[in-house]
Amino acid sequence: MIRIEGLTHKYEGREEEAVNNINLQIKKGESLVVIGSSGSGKSTLLKCINRLIDPTSGKIYIEEKEILNCDIHHATKIRGSIGMIFQEYNLVESESVLKNVLNGRLKYLSTVQTLFGKFSKEDIAIAKENLKVVGLGEYENERVSNLSGGQKQRVAIARALSQNPAVILADEPVSSLDPKLMKEVMDLLTTICKEKGITLITSLHFLEFAKRYGTRIIGMKEGNIVFDGLPEELTEKDIVDIYGKTKEWFLYGKTGF
Amino acid sequence: MKKIPNTIIKKKYQKLIIGLLIVLVYYWAISGTGTSPTSFAQGIPHMADFIRRMFPPDFSNIGTFLLKGLETLQMAILGTTIGAIIALPLSFLAARNIMPNKFVYHTIRTFFDICRGINEIVWGLIFVSMVGLGPFPGVLALSAHVAGALGRYFSESIETVDPKIIKAILSTGANKIQVVIKGIIPQVKPAFINYILYYLENNFRAATVLGLVGAGGIGMELLTSMRLFKNQEVLTILMIMVGMVILIDRISATIRKRVVGIKTIE
């Protein structure tokens, strides 16, 4: 479903590549977890897939369509079919829960309709339905700033689902949550994606989570993929390869949860 | 004997010099303006006499004064609205984070600086000579000044928006204008409303002063009564002005609470 060939990205003013010659194929419905230390290139890889970052070189095919060489209009369309969930939720805090979820329907609206906030009845019904799916049906009129971290991430999931996506990219979706909420959110996200046949690509810090929620794991170090396999294939040696014997190895790799 | 390090001595002298400079600046300002507590104390009986002559307030012309007060309010409402309408679209062009073209950015910023840099009274004098006496030049004067002030504050608010939210809206497949409508405007809306309400209050006060240069409203009545030494009428006018400022303040506080959603600290 997603094929990445020779993907390289270098940030301006940096000497080393954030991701370096990545080659990857992701099957439809897969739950791929990307692990690695901070700065290993996990986020950059995810952001290249929906072109939030335009990579320096390489090719990305989604359903056999190359997405990096297309015009901005086409890129926007592709982006619309990929939901994204962020570590810090990235919601409009001063707006209601429903309004935030409705932002997932913007690709179906014209600019004039957006200006007047004219969402169709169908859009509103879809947004409300997705709020029910994430267990926040009663919170539609609540201001986002009044919600807890776990609830905010559920709103973000509902926003991504409202895009009716084929793929969801989750960039460290539980890093801002406490362990109990981490599990709740990951359970919810993986269950929904499995039910709806959505391909899920998640970057995670904690190994135990990666093993539990991934059907496949890739390990990144300094912009390169140093492990690609099934969760049960991940050995102690691989973990040291990915994290090195650093503080992060002890924190995320060795202890886990 | 232990030697005191040079840096400590240097710092001591620095403090002394800064202290001396502050004293000199205040001496210069006080002597230049003739500010003197003795003159102030000597003036108290005159002030008391002035206040005494204001009582009891003369309500015989209260109907006219109230109408003129409302005219001032109309000036403030229109001036603020027109200023905000001019400032709103331009402020997006003067925000560094969304306007990559430096020429456009600097041109709009300079336009805001000129509008804001000229005081309402000066704008009033310019517009009175252009369209004649009355509240209309007052409205134009307020609009011109407010466009500059709001334009600057609006664009600064836009510059502080959270780029992460913009990215999140972009990632849904929204186009750039949709990102502005759904990603930027909701973030700056509370600040924009606060600034507009603040300038509405401010413009009411400014509009009363504008009357002094012939730009209509209750300020013109105040000037006339003061010139004719009708001190009891002056008090009535002042009472109306203060009352209206308090009223506007209460109304804007209510709007702010509803729209901006201020929470009480528990």
Side-chain angles (χ1 to χ4, degrees):
Chain A
M1 187 202 185
I2 301 174
R3 197 168 82 238
I4 299 169
E5 288 176 1
L7 185 78
T8 300
H9 184 66
K10 201 171 169 181
Y11 288 104
E12 252 184 53
R14 300 259 181 93
E15 280 195 10
E16 282 152 16
E17 284 86 7
V19 288
N20 187 19
N21 195 26
I22 300 282
N23 292 293
L24 195 65
Q25 281 202 36
I26 304 156
K27 283 186 222 137
K28 188 171 167 49
E30 207 167 22
S31 172
L32 178 78
V33 174
V34 189
I35 55 169
S37 309
S38 305
S40 61
K42 304 188 298 288
S43 284
T44 308
L45 173 64
L46 260 63
K47 284 173 188 160
C48 285
I49 295 175
N50 69 349
R51 281 191 65 175
L52 271 187
I53 292 175
D54 270 328
T56 318
S57 64
K59 284 182 172 158
I60 297 176
Y61 298 87
I62 295 179
E63 306 280 17
E64 292 310 314
K65 262 188 191 160
E66 214 288 299
I67 65 158
L68 297 183
N69 292 324
C70 60
D71 59 58
I72 185 74
H73 180 71
H74 197 67
T76 305
K77 223 173 171 183
I78 291 160
R79 217 180 263 148
S81 67
I82 305 172
M84 188 150 191
I85 297 159
F86 302 83
Q87 181 185 343
E88 288 163 36
Y89 332 118
N90 298 11
L91 300 166
V92 186
E93 297 264 333
S94 58
E95 297 269 64
S96 74
V97 166
L98 184 63
K99 277 190 178 174
N100 271 279
V101 178
L102 276 169
N103 284 341
R105 303 294 296 169
L106 284 175
K107 64 173 175 170
Y108 300 102
L109 243 65
S110 70
T111 306
V112 179
Q113 283 172 319
T114 310
L115 189 65
F116 294 103
K118 287 278 171 208
F119 286 96
S120 70
K121 278 183 183 164
E122 192 198 346
D123 288 330
I124 295 167
I126 290 169
K128 285 185 176 179
E129 180 54 35
N130 285 323
L131 270 176
K132 277 186 195 152
V133 170
V134 299
L136 291 176
E138 289 167 14
Y139 288 79
E140 60 177 66
N141 295 320
E142 192 71 47
R143 201 182 267 252
V144 168
S145 55
N146 295 338
L147 302 184
S148 69
Q151 288 171 326
K152 284 179 187 173
Q153 199 56 297
R154 283 164 185 263
V155 176
I157 294 172
R159 177 176 65 189
L161 289 175
S162 298
Q163 286 175 241
N164 199 17
V167 181
I168 287 184
L169 305 171
D171 189 9
E172 296 186 22
V174 291
S175 296
S176 303
L177 305 175
D178 66 47
K180 190 174 165 277
L181 287 174
M182 278 180 174
K183 199 180 157 298
E184 270 179 35
V185 169
M186 280 310 294
D187 277 341
L188 181 77
L189 184 60
T190 46
T191 310
I192 293 169
C193 288
K194 206 173 171 184
E195 278 172 6
K196 294 183 182 269
I198 299 169
T199 307
L200 177 64
I201 307 172
T202 317
S203 71
L204 281 175
H205 265 311
F206 295 100
L207 260 183
E208 284 306 306
F209 271 44
K211 284 182 178 173
R212 187 193 294 211
Y213 297 108
T215 54
R216 179 179 162 200
I217 295 175
I218 63 168
M220 291 190 72
K221 191 183 181 184
E222 292 164 4
N224 298 295
I225 294 178
V226 292
F227 174 83
D228 185 351
L230 299 172
E232 53 271 26
E233 290 170 351
L234 191 71
T235 64
E236 193 77 8
K237 185 191 165 295
D238 296 321
I239 297 165
V240 176
D241 279 349
I242 296 164
Y243 291 105
K245 280 211 169 184
T246 58
K247 246 195 222 168
E248 283 180 311
W249 173 63
F250 279 102
L251 187 62
Y252 308 125
K254 200 160 170 56
T255 52
F257 279 107
Chain B
M1 213 172 86
K2 221 178 173 184
K3 210 179 159 188
I4 302 165
N6 274 345
T7 47
I8 294 180
I9 299 171
K10 223 175 163 185
K11 271 190 181 173
K12 260 191 170 177
Y13 276 114
Q14 262 179 1
K15 277 185 185 170
L16 196 72
I17 291 166
I18 291 168
L20 267 173
L21 273 174
I22 292 171
V23 172
L24 273 173
V25 166
Y26 279 109
Y27 176 75
W28 170 71
I30 290 166
S31 59
T33 54
T35 303
S36 134
T38 347
S39 308
F40 181 76
Q42 282 167 356
I44 288 173
H46 300 292
M47 181 72 178
D49 184 48
F50 181 66
I51 292 170
R52 192 183 48 76
R53 277 188 278 122
M54 284 171 127
F55 284 92
D58 178 2
F59 292 118
S60 53
N61 281 326
I62 192 158
T64 318
F65 298 150
L66 275 172
L67 280 176
K68 286 288 172 189
L70 288 177
E71 190 179 275
T72 306
L73 184 63
Q74 288 165 339
M75 283 164 67
I77 291 170
L78 270 182
T80 312
T81 310
I82 295 170
I85 290 170
I86 296 168
L88 191 67
L90 291 180
S91 60
F92 285 90
L93 305 177
R96 210 187 287 263
N97 53 344
I98 56 168
M99 175 38 72
N101 188 317
K102 278 188 181 170
F103 176 75
V104 176
Y105 167 83
H106 285 294
T107 309
I108 306 289
R109 279 263 156 164
T110 311
F111 170 73
F112 287 156
D113 287 342
I114 293 168
C115 289
R116 197 181 68 253
I118 299 172
N119 187 279
E120 296 98 330
I121 302 277
V122 183
W123 277 123
L125 287 167
I126 294 169
F127 286 120
V128 163
S129 66
M130 199 174 127
V131 295
L133 293 170
F136 181 50
V139 171
L140 294 177
L142 293 173
S143 307
H145 182 78
V146 167
L150 284 181
R152 183 196 157 183
Y153 294 129
F154 283 179
S155 56
E156 280 174 1
S157 297
I158 296 166
E159 284 174 353
T160 61
V161 294
D162 186 352
K164 291 196 282 268
I165 293 170
I166 297 173
K167 280 207 167 160
I169 305 289
L170 256 182
S171 76
T172 64
N175 65 38
K176 284 195 172 168
I177 300 171
Q178 286 178 315
V179 171
V180 171
I181 299 167
K182 291 291 175 183
I184 296 177
I185 292 179
Q187 285 193 69
V188 294
K189 198 171 77 182
F192 279 22
I193 290 169
N194 265 335
Y195 287 132
I196 291 171
L197 290 173
Y198 170 76
Y199 269 94
L200 180 67
E201 291 169 46
N202 196 56
N203 275 349
F204 181 77
R205 287 188 293 269
T208 58
V209 186
L210 272 172
L212 303 180
V213 294
I218 200 165
M220 253 173 132
E221 295 299 321
L222 182 69
L223 186 70
T224 315
S225 298
M226 280 185 114
R227 277 188 177 153
L228 296 172
F229 300 104
K230 291 182 172 175
N231 295 331
Q232 289 157 308
E233 266 187 14
V234 169
L235 181 61
T236 310
I237 294 167
L238 287 178
M239 281 162 70
I240 291 169
M241 279 162 62
V242 172
M244 287 185 84
V245 167
I246 292 169
L247 194 71
I248 293 169
D249 181 60
R250 296 289 181 276
I251 293 169
S252 65
T254 313
I255 297 172
R256 210 174 282 144
K257 206 176 166 187
R258 284 188 74 110
V259 183
V260 185
I262 304 160
K263 275 194 203 166
T264 325
I265 298 167
E266 284 160 15

